[in-house]
mmCIF file of all heavy atoms in Angstrom:
data_model
loop_
_atom_site.group_PDB
_atom_site.id
_atom_site.type_symbol
_atom_site.label_atom_id
_atom_site.label_comp_id
_atom_site.label_asym_id
_atom_site.label_seq_id
_atom_site.Cartn_x
_atom_site.Cartn_y
_atom_site.Cartn_z
ATOM 1 N N LEU A 326 -13.197 54.297 17.027
ATOM 2 C CA LEU A 326 -14.378 53.642 17.542
ATOM 3 C C LEU A 326 -15.469 54.663 17.831
ATOM 4 O O LEU A 326 -16.619 54.349 17.605
ATOM 5 C CB LEU A 326 -14.011 52.861 18.883
ATOM 6 C CG LEU A 326 -13.563 51.432 18.749
ATOM 7 C CD1 LEU A 326 -13.316 50.806 20.141
ATOM 8 C CD2 LEU A 326 -14.592 50.608 17.988
ATOM 9 N N GLU A 327 -15.151 55.805 18.413
ATOM 10 C CA GLU A 327 -16.143 56.807 18.706
ATOM 11 C C GLU A 327 -16.879 57.277 17.428
ATOM 12 O O GLU A 327 -18.091 57.413 17.405
ATOM 13 C CB GLU A 327 -15.539 57.974 19.370
ATOM 14 C CG GLU A 327 -16.569 58.980 19.876
ATOM 15 C CD GLU A 327 -15.894 60.124 20.749
ATOM 16 O OE1 GLU A 327 -14.683 59.998 21.044
ATOM 17 O OE2 GLU A 327 -16.586 61.046 21.137
ATOM 18 N N GLU A 328 -16.100 57.409 16.347
ATOM 19 C CA GLU A 328 -16.658 57.736 15.096
ATOM 20 C C GLU A 328 -17.570 56.622 14.541
ATOM 21 O O GLU A 328 -18.642 56.867 13.975
ATOM 22 C CB GLU A 328 -15.600 58.045 14.042
ATOM 23 C CG GLU A 328 -16.155 58.433 12.639
ATOM 24 C CD GLU A 328 -15.007 58.649 11.675
ATOM 25 O OE1 GLU A 328 -13.820 58.590 12.104
ATOM 26 O OE2 GLU A 328 -15.313 58.847 10.483
ATOM 27 N N LEU A 329 -17.138 55.380 14.715
ATOM 28 C CA LEU A 329 -17.973 54.234 14.358
ATOM 29 C C LEU A 329 -19.254 54.220 15.069
ATOM 30 O O LEU A 329 -20.377 53.984 14.457
ATOM 31 C CB LEU A 329 -17.160 52.949 14.566
ATOM 32 C CG LEU A 329 -17.885 51.667 14.289
ATOM 33 C CD1 LEU A 329 -18.117 51.490 12.779
ATOM 34 C CD2 LEU A 329 -17.063 50.415 14.792
ATOM 35 N N VAL A 330 -19.241 54.429 16.381
ATOM 36 C CA VAL A 330 -20.512 54.474 17.122
ATOM 37 C C VAL A 330 -21.384 55.609 16.758
ATOM 38 O O VAL A 330 -22.592 55.490 16.656
ATOM 39 C CB VAL A 330 -20.169 54.510 18.639
ATOM 40 C CG1 VAL A 330 -21.440 54.744 19.493
ATOM 41 C CG2 VAL A 330 -19.433 53.280 19.109
ATOM 42 N N GLY A 331 -20.730 56.746 16.442
ATOM 43 C CA GLY A 331 -21.469 57.942 15.989
ATOM 44 C C GLY A 331 -22.212 57.690 14.659
ATOM 45 O O GLY A 331 -23.323 58.163 14.441
ATOM 46 N N GLN A 332 -21.601 56.920 13.727
ATOM 47 C CA GLN A 332 -22.260 56.625 12.522
ATOM 48 C C GLN A 332 -23.530 55.720 12.717
ATOM 49 O O GLN A 332 -24.508 55.937 12.118
ATOM 50 C CB GLN A 332 -21.315 55.885 11.579
ATOM 51 C CG GLN A 332 -20.125 56.703 11.110
ATOM 52 C CD GLN A 332 -19.109 55.929 10.362
ATOM 53 O OE1 GLN A 332 -19.232 54.649 10.234
ATOM 54 N NE2 GLN A 332 -18.074 56.576 9.834
ATOM 55 N N SER A 333 -23.444 54.791 13.653
ATOM 56 C CA SER A 333 -24.655 54.038 13.933
ATOM 57 C C SER A 333 -25.704 54.859 14.602
ATOM 58 O O SER A 333 -26.928 54.675 14.364
ATOM 59 C CB SER A 333 -24.264 52.836 14.883
ATOM 60 O OG SER A 333 -23.410 51.950 14.191
ATOM 61 N N ALA A 334 -25.310 55.747 15.481
ATOM 62 C CA ALA A 334 -26.255 56.682 16.115
ATOM 63 C C ALA A 334 -26.920 57.559 15.033
ATOM 64 O O ALA A 334 -28.101 57.838 15.099
ATOM 65 C CB ALA A 334 -25.570 57.499 17.191
ATOM 66 N N ALA A 335 -26.173 58.010 14.048
ATOM 67 C CA ALA A 335 -26.706 58.816 13.037
ATOM 68 C C ALA A 335 -27.693 58.069 12.137
ATOM 69 O O ALA A 335 -28.613 58.616 11.513
ATOM 70 C CB ALA A 335 -25.577 59.407 12.113
ATOM 71 N N ALA A 336 -27.583 56.744 12.115
ATOM 72 C CA ALA A 336 -28.443 55.916 11.384
ATOM 73 C C ALA A 336 -29.741 55.610 12.126
ATOM 74 O O ALA A 336 -30.569 54.886 11.638
ATOM 75 C CB ALA A 336 -27.724 54.629 10.981
ATOM 76 N N GLY A 337 -29.893 56.140 13.351
ATOM 77 C CA GLY A 337 -31.106 55.902 14.125
ATOM 78 C C GLY A 337 -30.940 54.983 15.246
ATOM 79 O O GLY A 337 -31.955 54.717 15.974
ATOM 80 N N MET A 338 -29.790 54.417 15.451
ATOM 81 C CA MET A 338 -29.594 53.416 16.587
ATOM 82 C C MET A 338 -29.321 54.194 17.844
ATOM 83 O O MET A 338 -28.583 55.200 17.868
ATOM 84 C CB MET A 338 -28.378 52.496 16.271
ATOM 85 C CG MET A 338 -28.141 51.521 17.430
ATOM 86 S SD MET A 338 -26.586 50.553 17.148
ATOM 87 C CE MET A 338 -27.075 49.582 15.726
ATOM 88 N N VAL A 339 -29.959 53.700 18.946
ATOM 89 C CA VAL A 339 -29.677 54.284 20.269
ATOM 90 C C VAL A 339 -28.524 53.527 20.821
ATOM 91 O O VAL A 339 -28.670 52.328 21.298
ATOM 92 C CB VAL A 339 -30.929 54.199 21.206
ATOM 93 C CG1 VAL A 339 -30.610 54.808 22.571
ATOM 94 C CG2 VAL A 339 -32.152 54.928 20.556
ATOM 95 N N VAL A 340 -27.400 54.097 20.847
ATOM 96 C CA VAL A 340 -26.115 53.364 21.224
ATOM 97 C C VAL A 340 -25.271 54.284 22.101
ATOM 98 O O VAL A 340 -25.249 55.528 21.926
ATOM 99 C CB VAL A 340 -25.373 52.968 19.975
ATOM 100 C CG1 VAL A 340 -25.042 54.129 19.089
ATOM 101 C CG2 VAL A 340 -24.103 52.206 20.313
ATOM 102 N N ASP A 341 -24.617 53.683 23.108
ATOM 103 C CA ASP A 341 -23.721 54.437 23.923
ATOM 104 C C ASP A 341 -22.416 53.649 24.079
ATOM 105 O O ASP A 341 -22.404 52.457 24.004
ATOM 106 C CB ASP A 341 -24.300 54.657 25.309
ATOM 107 C CG ASP A 341 -24.599 53.333 26.064
ATOM 108 O OD1 ASP A 341 -23.678 52.777 26.688
ATOM 109 O OD2 ASP A 341 -25.763 52.890 26.053
ATOM 110 N N LEU A 342 -21.312 54.363 24.285
ATOM 111 C CA LEU A 342 -19.995 53.870 24.350
ATOM 112 C C LEU A 342 -19.370 54.204 25.695
ATOM 113 O O LEU A 342 -19.399 55.336 26.094
ATOM 114 C CB LEU A 342 -19.082 54.417 23.224
ATOM 115 C CG LEU A 342 -17.584 54.054 23.260
ATOM 116 C CD1 LEU A 342 -17.383 52.583 23.113
ATOM 117 C CD2 LEU A 342 -16.832 54.852 22.233
ATOM 118 N N SER A 343 -18.886 53.135 26.374
ATOM 119 C CA SER A 343 -18.232 53.358 27.660
ATOM 120 C C SER A 343 -16.838 52.694 27.632
ATOM 121 O O SER A 343 -16.679 51.627 27.141
ATOM 122 C CB SER A 343 -19.075 52.781 28.823
ATOM 123 O OG SER A 343 -19.199 51.334 28.640
ATOM 124 N N VAL A 344 -15.890 53.422 28.151
ATOM 125 C CA VAL A 344 -14.496 52.929 28.171
ATOM 126 C C VAL A 344 -14.000 52.873 29.579
ATOM 127 O O VAL A 344 -14.145 53.875 30.363
ATOM 128 C CB VAL A 344 -13.580 53.897 27.308
ATOM 129 C CG1 VAL A 344 -12.141 53.372 27.330
ATOM 130 C CG2 VAL A 344 -14.108 53.967 25.876
ATOM 131 N N GLU A 345 -13.428 51.739 29.955
ATOM 132 C CA GLU A 345 -12.892 51.558 31.338
ATOM 133 C C GLU A 345 -11.371 51.398 31.263
ATOM 134 O O GLU A 345 -10.840 50.825 30.295
ATOM 135 C CB GLU A 345 -13.530 50.361 32.003
ATOM 136 C CG GLU A 345 -15.055 50.439 32.135
ATOM 137 C CD GLU A 345 -15.618 49.149 32.705
ATOM 138 O OE1 GLU A 345 -14.827 48.229 33.028
ATOM 139 O OE2 GLU A 345 -16.888 49.090 32.782
ATOM 140 N N GLY A 346 -10.691 51.830 32.315
ATOM 141 C CA GLY A 346 -9.245 51.596 32.363
ATOM 142 C C GLY A 346 -8.459 52.781 31.645
ATOM 143 O O GLY A 346 -9.064 53.698 31.086
ATOM 144 N N ASP A 347 -7.148 52.647 31.791
ATOM 145 C CA ASP A 347 -6.288 53.721 31.133
ATOM 146 C C ASP A 347 -6.155 53.408 29.704
ATOM 147 O O ASP A 347 -5.692 52.343 29.258
ATOM 148 C CB ASP A 347 -4.912 53.674 31.801
ATOM 149 C CG ASP A 347 -4.954 54.003 33.276
ATOM 150 O OD1 ASP A 347 -5.921 54.760 33.693
ATOM 151 O OD2 ASP A 347 -4.121 53.547 34.044
ATOM 152 N N VAL A 348 -6.524 54.373 28.885
ATOM 153 C CA VAL A 348 -6.448 54.231 27.445
ATOM 154 C C VAL A 348 -4.965 54.235 26.985
ATOM 155 O O VAL A 348 -4.185 55.095 27.413
ATOM 156 C CB VAL A 348 -7.217 55.411 26.740
ATOM 157 C CG1 VAL A 348 -7.110 55.266 25.200
ATOM 158 C CG2 VAL A 348 -8.675 55.367 27.175
ATOM 159 N N ARG A 349 -4.631 53.205 26.211
ATOM 160 C CA ARG A 349 -3.262 53.178 25.672
ATOM 161 C C ARG A 349 -3.297 52.543 24.274
ATOM 162 O O ARG A 349 -4.343 52.032 23.845
ATOM 163 C CB ARG A 349 -2.364 52.353 26.603
ATOM 164 C CG ARG A 349 -2.808 50.890 26.735
ATOM 165 C CD ARG A 349 -1.917 50.173 27.801
ATOM 166 N NE ARG A 349 -2.141 48.720 27.890
ATOM 167 C CZ ARG A 349 -3.079 48.174 28.620
ATOM 168 N NH1 ARG A 349 -3.898 48.948 29.378
ATOM 169 N NH2 ARG A 349 -3.229 46.833 28.641
ATOM 170 N N SER A 350 -2.190 52.580 23.632
ATOM 171 C CA SER A 350 -2.096 52.054 22.266
ATOM 172 C C SER A 350 -1.700 50.548 22.324
ATOM 173 O O SER A 350 -0.952 50.143 23.276
ATOM 174 C CB SER A 350 -1.123 52.857 21.445
ATOM 175 O OG SER A 350 0.185 52.778 22.026
ATOM 176 N N TYR A 351 -2.092 49.824 21.352
ATOM 177 C CA TYR A 351 -1.745 48.399 21.213
ATOM 178 C C TYR A 351 -1.118 48.141 19.807
ATOM 179 O O TYR A 351 -1.052 49.076 18.993
ATOM 180 C CB TYR A 351 -2.998 47.525 21.379
ATOM 181 C CG TYR A 351 -3.718 47.681 22.735
ATOM 182 C CD1 TYR A 351 -4.716 48.672 22.859
ATOM 183 C CD2 TYR A 351 -3.395 46.893 23.773
ATOM 184 C CE1 TYR A 351 -5.323 48.836 24.116
ATOM 185 C CE2 TYR A 351 -4.074 47.055 25.039
ATOM 186 C CZ TYR A 351 -4.983 47.964 25.199
ATOM 187 O OH TYR A 351 -5.580 48.126 26.397
#
Side-chain angles (χ1 to χ4, degrees):
L326 270 183
E327 188 173 352
E328 179 183 356
L329 177 66
V330 173
Q332 293 173 356
S333 294
M338 178 187 293
V339 181
V340 56
D341 62 82
L342 172 65
S343 62
V344 180
E345 302 175 1
D347 297 332
V348 178
R349 63 184 187 274
S350 60
Y351 300 90

